[in-house]
């Protein structure tokens, strides 16, 4: 399993990167153990020009400042005051592109994931949806800004090959406020994977 390097993230096309993250393995290694899952659903957010992005129109706050960091940083924010959502920062510094990891297929440390989530069994709800992904992997807002070049959180290529016909693209979920940008086909998922959240067409 080879960790994705800085050059993977430091590219201008966030939509392409979001697509290429499908099939890669997201790994966390905290004190309570190592957990990992294959990325099966992503959403791209195109920074200052994207009305669905937290950084639309160059908006910079204490929370969103991480999006302006160098490529390969983790951006974690709280949604509805409950869910910790994990995003991957891409492109050059001060270009706030980011990719939300919406779902993973559990691979390692499933017992640890069950403990973290309080679930009794490893059904699809364990890691379906971005809030569940972070909970299962132990990712919290305090980890926002963490480097994916380190060993605590990183994404790796384990040689899994995804057929192009199995990559689906749709508009993003829950961004109706973004006007025309809500219709952009910036959500990607693996066809017929049970962990994919929301609509599958």
């Amino acid at each position: 399993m080879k960790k994705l390097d800085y050059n993977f993230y430091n590219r201008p096309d966030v939509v392409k990167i979001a697509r290429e993250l499908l099939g890669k393995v997201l790994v966390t290694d905290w004190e309570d153990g190592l957990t990992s899952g294959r990325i099966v659903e992503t959403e791209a957010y195109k920074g200052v020009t994207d009305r669905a992005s937290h950084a639309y129109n160059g908006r910079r706050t204490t929370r969103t400042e991480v999006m302006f960091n160098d490529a390969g940083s983790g951006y974690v924010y709280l949604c509805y005051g409950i869910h910790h959502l994990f995003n991957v920062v891409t492109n050059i510094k001060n270009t706030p592109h980011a990719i939300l990891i919406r779902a993973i297929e559990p691979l390692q440390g499933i017992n640890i994931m069950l403990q973290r989530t309080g679930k009794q069994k490893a059904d699809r709800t364990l890691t379906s949806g971005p809030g569940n992904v972070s909970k299962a992997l132990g990712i919290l807002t305090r980890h926002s800004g963490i480097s994916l070049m380190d060993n605590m959180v990183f994404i790796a290529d384990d040689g899994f090959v995804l057929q192009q016909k199995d990559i689906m693209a749709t508009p993003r979920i829950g961004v109706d406020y973004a006007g025309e940008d809500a219709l952009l086909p910036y959500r990607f998922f693996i066809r017929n994977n049970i962990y994919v959240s929301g609509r599958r067409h």
Side-chain angles (χ1 to χ4, degrees), residues 176-197:
D176 295 345
Y177 57 86
E180 291 180 1
D181 288 351
L183 303 176
L184 295 169
Y186 285 0
R187 171 178 172 249
F188 300 95
F189 62 90
I190 297 177
R191 184 164 59 128
N192 296 329
N193 188 284
I194 65 165
Y195 293 94
V196 171
S197 66

Side-chain angles (χ1 to χ4, degrees), residues 133-155:
V133 169
S134 294
K135 197 168 187 180
L137 293 179
I139 298 172
L140 301 167
T141 51
R142 71 167 182 262
H143 300 125
S144 196
I146 198 166
S147 173
L148 303 185
M149 305 302 107
D150 292 340
N151 294 323
M152 289 184 290
V153 184
F154 62 91
I155 301 174

Side-chain angles (χ1 to χ4, degrees), residues 40-60:
V40 299
E41 184 183 2
T42 62
E43 281 181 347
Y45 289 86
K46 215 167 186 176
V48 298
T49 62
D50 182 352
R51 278 174 285 186
S53 170
H54 290 172
Y56 174 61
N57 216 17
R59 186 168 61 238
R60 296 177 88 137

Side-chain angles (χ1 to χ4, degrees), residues 6 9-11 60 65-73 89-97:
Y6 174 75
Y9 304 106
N10 186 27
R11 292 182 287 159
R60 296 177 88 137
E65 191 61 32
V66 172
M67 297 179 74
F68 294 84
N69 280 3
D70 218 350
S73 300
V89 175
T90 66
N91 212 325
I92 58 173
K93 193 174 179 67
N94 290 319
T95 301
H97 288 178

